[in-house]
Amino acid sequence: MSHKRIPKRKAAIAVGGVVALGAAAILLPNANASQDGASDGVAAAPKTLKAGDASDLATRLAGTLGDAYAGAWYDGEDKQLVVNVVRGENTMALKVRSAGAEVRWVDNSMTELEAGAGTLKSEATIPGTSWAVDPRTNKILVTADSTVTGDKWDQLESTVKNLGSGMATLKKSAGTFRTFASGGDAIFAGGARCSLGFNVTAGDGSPAFLTAGHCAAAGDQWSDQQGGEPIATVDQALFPGAGDFALLTYDDPATEAPSEVNVGGQTVPIVQAAEATVGQQVFRMGSTTGLADGQVLGLNATVNYPEGTVTGLIQTDVCAEPGDSGGSLFTQDGLAIGLTSGGSGDCTVGGETFFQPVTTALEAVGATLGAGGAGAGGQAGGQEQGAGQDAGDGEAGADDQAGAGDQAGAGDQADGQDAGTGQDGAGGQDGTGTGSGRHSGQDSGLSRTH
């Protein structure tokens, strides 16, 4: 694992240097697209912004606009921030334009959408369902998995309908919502396998790492090899409830815990923790399926797992499978975004996957990213960003890479073997089939996989 030694080879990638990625629009919370002509005044043309600067501007405008703010999104092609404003709030629209953003008019306010989510919570908390505000449609996206049938489906459908026209959309998922035990660098306890998310520094200055909270149900002591000696102990964990995260401290205080992600054959330096933005291009690393990519679909998602309800998650279309739990969600320029929680589907048919925000987990456990302060550089938990170089060259399962050669259940995966059997751990850690063989470097570089 990456905590034991620095990988021999690192990808020398400039920040934002993954040219293979498409220029997908990056949306900030609650974006929608219904635009009227701007008849309420003219301001300077929207500024050209980096995604991070656009996110900061959106946060500031959200505080300024109050109830008039209905979300925002980042147009990756034009590199402009587009802010959704409730119709009729002309004065607030002028403030948006003056700040250098573009205005789009929408019908549903954030207050109304959040009230709708509250109604779903009180009237339709049914295992196998989830909901989150979809900024692209200015509606609440409600999803039901394959277990929601009969009276349960009727109850959910009726609740959505009663929210009113134009407030929510309801879709059916072919899979089943579950937690995914197994992940980035493989870690093991009690017959279960999960994934290391990001290396961090605990509040007392000791080396530690984050993973999924439901993984902690399998045991207090975790190893980097199946049946191996423990290397870390659970310090704090939460699942279910207001999150799905755990902090594990390394048993050896001299452990070197780099702030990076191993993508199989190369590593991605993690420079800081960051909030997710809807529409953002993200990558997930897990010990079962390796590297996968996709987009953020929603924030503050509520997921009703069989083990209980979890709130405050990030919803994405990135695939994951049992064994990927706790693994890293990050961006091409080294931002730590989330920890794999669970979802439906797999990396053959796709599906929805939910992630614990890293920023929330860090705050809750009192840890900082890497060795240099909250969100500081260093190399977090190991392994991402490889700008598409050497992708698929079979290097996962070799060398020192976290999630590769040293990971029990990783090296074998390169041969398609079911490494880490019995990974069906407690706490809903669906470990079955965790050794799918897709960690064999097939997606070793940061290029789009779908």
Side-chain angles (χ1 to χ4, degrees):
M1 287 184 67
S2 62
H3 67 274
K4 296 173 70 175
R5 52 191 182 276
I6 301 294
K8 299 174 183 175
R9 194 157 65 94
K10 295 183 182 178
I13 303 301
V15 171
V18 185
V19 296
L21 297 181
I26 295 179
L27 306 182
L28 301 174
N30 311 310
N32 177 36
S34 139
Q35 182 175 19
D36 292 340
S39 59
D40 50 347
V42 178
K47 296 177 181 178
T48 298
L49 300 168
K50 294 181 180 178
D53 295 334
S55 179
D56 292 340
L57 177 57
T59 299
R60 293 196 300 272
L61 286 172
T64 300
L65 302 184
D67 290 341
Y69 179 80
W73 56 279
Y74 179 66
D75 185 334
E77 283 192 28
D78 294 335
K79 293 182 170 51
Q80 295 173 349
L81 177 68
V82 183
V83 177
N84 293 338
V85 179
V86 175
R87 294 183 189 279
E89 296 284 356
N90 295 343
T91 300
M92 295 302 179
L94 286 174
K95 290 185 178 182
V96 170
R97 296 193 180 99
S98 296
E102 182 180 345
V103 171
R104 289 215 176 174
W105 300 100
V106 295
D107 295 318
N108 296 322
S109 69
M110 277 307 301
T111 300
E112 292 170 326
L113 292 169
E114 289 171 353
T119 298
L120 288 164
K121 178 180 179 181
S122 62
E123 299 182 13
T125 297
I126 301 167
T129 61
S130 71
W131 51 82
V133 172
D134 180 357
R136 290 158 296 191
T137 62
N138 192 227
K139 297 179 181 180
I140 304 168
L141 174 61
V142 183
T143 305
D145 73 12
S146 59
T147 67
V148 182
T149 58
D151 291 343
K152 293 180 179 179
W153 172 261
D154 293 342
Q155 178 185 349
L156 182 63
E157 189 175 40
S158 175
T159 303
V160 169
K161 182 177 180 181
N162 289 338
L163 293 177
S165 176
M167 281 296 295
T169 55
L170 176 59
K171 77 168 191 173
K172 191 82 170 178
S173 174
T176 301
F177 288 159
R178 58 194 173 164
T179 50
F180 293 134
S182 291
D185 271 12
I187 53 176
F188 302 85
R193 176 163 64 89
C194 281
S195 299
L196 187 152
F198 298 97
N199 282 324
V200 299
T201 301
D204 62 0
S206 61
F209 64 84
L210 294 174
T211 189
H214 67 263
C215 293
D220 289 335
Q221 294 186 307
W222 287 76
S223 172
D224 59 353
Q225 298 182 39
Q226 181 143 18
E229 290 297 316
I231 55 98
T233 301
V234 175
D235 181 84
Q236 301 178 55
L238 177 64
F239 176 83
D244 183 4
F245 56 85
L247 175 72
L248 281 72
T249 55
Y250 287 108
D251 295 338
D252 181 357
T255 296
E256 187 174 8
S259 185
E260 59 189 23
V261 176
N262 171 23
V263 293
Q266 48 199 313
T267 58
V268 174
I270 298 298
V271 297
Q272 68 182 58
E275 301 288 346
T277 56
V278 175
Q280 182 177 25
Q281 177 77 32
V282 287
F283 294 87
R284 176 201 53 74
M285 189 64 189
S287 64
T288 297
T289 55
L291 187 67
D293 74 301
Q295 288 191 4
V296 174
L297 302 180
L299 305 179
N300 197 28
T302 295
V303 186
N304 297 300
Y305 291 124
E307 299 84 11
T309 299
V310 180
T311 60
L313 301 182
I314 301 166
Q315 183 172 353
T316 77
D317 62 3
V318 184
C319 74
E321 295 184 9
D324 288 332
S325 278
S328 334
L329 184 73
F330 58 100
T331 67
Q332 64 178 20
D333 51 355
L335 300 180
I337 301 296
L339 307 166
T340 307
S341 174
S344 67
D346 55 39
C347 288
T348 299
V349 301
E352 300 81 21
T353 303
F354 301 92
F355 295 83
Q356 164 66 46
V358 170
T359 52
T360 304
L362 288 172
E363 182 178 3
V365 301
T368 54
L369 188 63
Q379 295 116 324
Q383 356 341 292
E384 303 242 307
Q385 196 169 311
Q389 303 176 26
D390 301 316
D393 62 3
E395 290 183 352
D399 251 334
D400 318 314
Q401 326 266 351
D406 287 323
Q407 296 176 200
D412 286 342
Q413 288 168 5
D415 299 319
Q417 299 177 22
D418 197 350
T421 56
Q423 293 149 220
D424 206 354
Q429 295 167 220
D430 304 291
T432 55
T434 48
S436 65
R438 273 186 292 278
H439 193 208
S440 58
Q442 91 176 37
D443 291 323
S444 299
L446 292 194
S447 56
R448 293 184 66 85
T449 59
H450 59 277

